[in-house]
Amino acid sequence: MATVSQHVPAPVSAERLVLRLFTPGDVDDRYAYQSLPEVARYLYRPPLTREGCAEAIAARADGTAWKDDGDVLLLAVCRANEPGVIGEVVLTLRSARAQQAEIGWIFNPRYAGQGYATEAARALASLAFGRLGVHRIFARLDVLNTASVRVCERLGMRREAHLLDNDLDGDRWGSEYIYATLAHEWTG
Ligand SMILES: CC(C)(COP(=O)(O)OP(=O)(O)OC[C@H]1O[C@@H](n2cnc3c(N)ncnc32)[C@H](O)[C@@H]1OP(=O)(O)O)[C@@H](O)C(=O)NCCC(=O)NCCS
């Protein structure tokens, strides 16, 4: 079994994008989308406060460990040669022993519909299967989150489960899909 890296290297370049660790100067850009109710709509939590955005960034100022269950790699997504953060992708180590990681994505709606989320998620998945030695990545998403379903399908992930009424979103029963891909299936 491959050994998962202790510390995550960054930045990561994609075709049109750069994925890098957040810095304290990114708080306003992150708050611009994390504060929006429509962005939080299917996240099973309220929009973030500015303080919440700043705290999450400060907590990662010294880099990200990638060793224990629950370790989180949160990367800001920027357009190459353009200032500002347009969104984020996140990889959570759910099982270090079995090398299972959960992937997610949240983007500013100003930059929707241009393939940026798919491109960033593809770059993060490649990092996961490459340098991080992950065996399987999976995503959990509300079945009503059709934009996110399409990201999974563009990445070639397999729909492995349809969980019925497995969570509460306010007073609405939420149902979720689980999509996944194995390292040996990943074509990049
Ligand atoms: C999920 C989310 C990131 C998807 O955003 P998105 O803009 O639909 O996804 P992409 O950036 O990959 O763009 C894909 C769209 O751009 C289009 N596109 C345009 N130019 C493109 C290009 N050069 N390359 C690829 N796609 C392109 C695609 O056809 C696609 O359109 P479609 O979905 O209508 O078919 C976004 O809706 C979001 O942040 N939601 C809130 C947070 C959230 O729910 N996260 C997921 C939690 S599980």
Side-chain angles (χ1 to χ4, degrees):
M1 193 179 281
T3 307
V4 173
S5 311
Q6 184 88 17
H7 289 283
V8 173
V12 175
S13 290
E15 199 179 322
R16 300 169 293 170
L17 303 173
V18 176
L19 282 54
R20 59 161 175 77
L21 296 174
F22 274 97
T23 68
D26 297 324
V27 171
D28 287 336
D29 284 350
R30 185 165 194 250
Y31 182 59
Y33 59 87
Q34 283 280 7
S35 60
L36 300 175
E38 69 262 36
V39 167
R41 175 69 191 86
Y42 297 116
L43 301 181
Y44 292 81
R45 57 144 173 89
L48 296 188
T49 61
R50 195 177 186 288
E51 292 68 32
C53 286
E55 278 167 19
I57 288 175
R60 292 170 172 80
D62 294 331
T64 299
W66 185 261
K67 185 167 63 73
D68 298 319
D69 291 4
D71 280 351
V72 174
L73 171 61
L74 173 67
L75 293 178
V77 180
C78 309
R79 287 173 299 173
N81 306 317
E82 302 253 9
V85 173
I86 66 168
E88 64 195 59
V89 285
V90 62
L91 196 68
T92 305
L93 186 55
R94 293 297 181 201
S95 168
R97 188 186 61 80
Q99 297 178 30
Q100 309 281 312
E102 181 172 356
I103 192 168
W105 35 75
I106 301 178
F107 275 72
N108 189 321
R110 281 181 59 189
Y111 303 100
Q114 298 177 66
Y116 289 141
T118 304
E119 184 177 324
R122 185 172 282 123
L124 182 60
S126 291
L127 174 74
F129 289 133
R131 279 185 276 177
L132 298 182
V134 169
H135 176 69
R136 173 179 174 268
I137 59 167
F138 68 95
R140 286 178 75 125
L141 44 147
D142 193 289
V143 298
L144 300 179
N145 193 351
T146 52
S148 204
V149 165
R150 288 198 296 276
V151 173
C152 290
E153 294 190 344
R154 277 192 291 272
L155 292 174
M157 298 176 81
R158 175 178 46 250
R159 187 186 294 178
E160 293 190 338
H162 181 178
L163 311 175
L164 298 177
D165 290 359
N166 64 304
D167 206 346
L168 262 178
D169 180 21
D171 56 4
R172 173 185 77 92
W173 286 111
S175 296
E176 290 181 295
Y177 292 135
I178 296 176
Y179 277 84
T181 304
L182 299 172
H184 73 83
E185 298 172 319
W186 183 247
T187 52

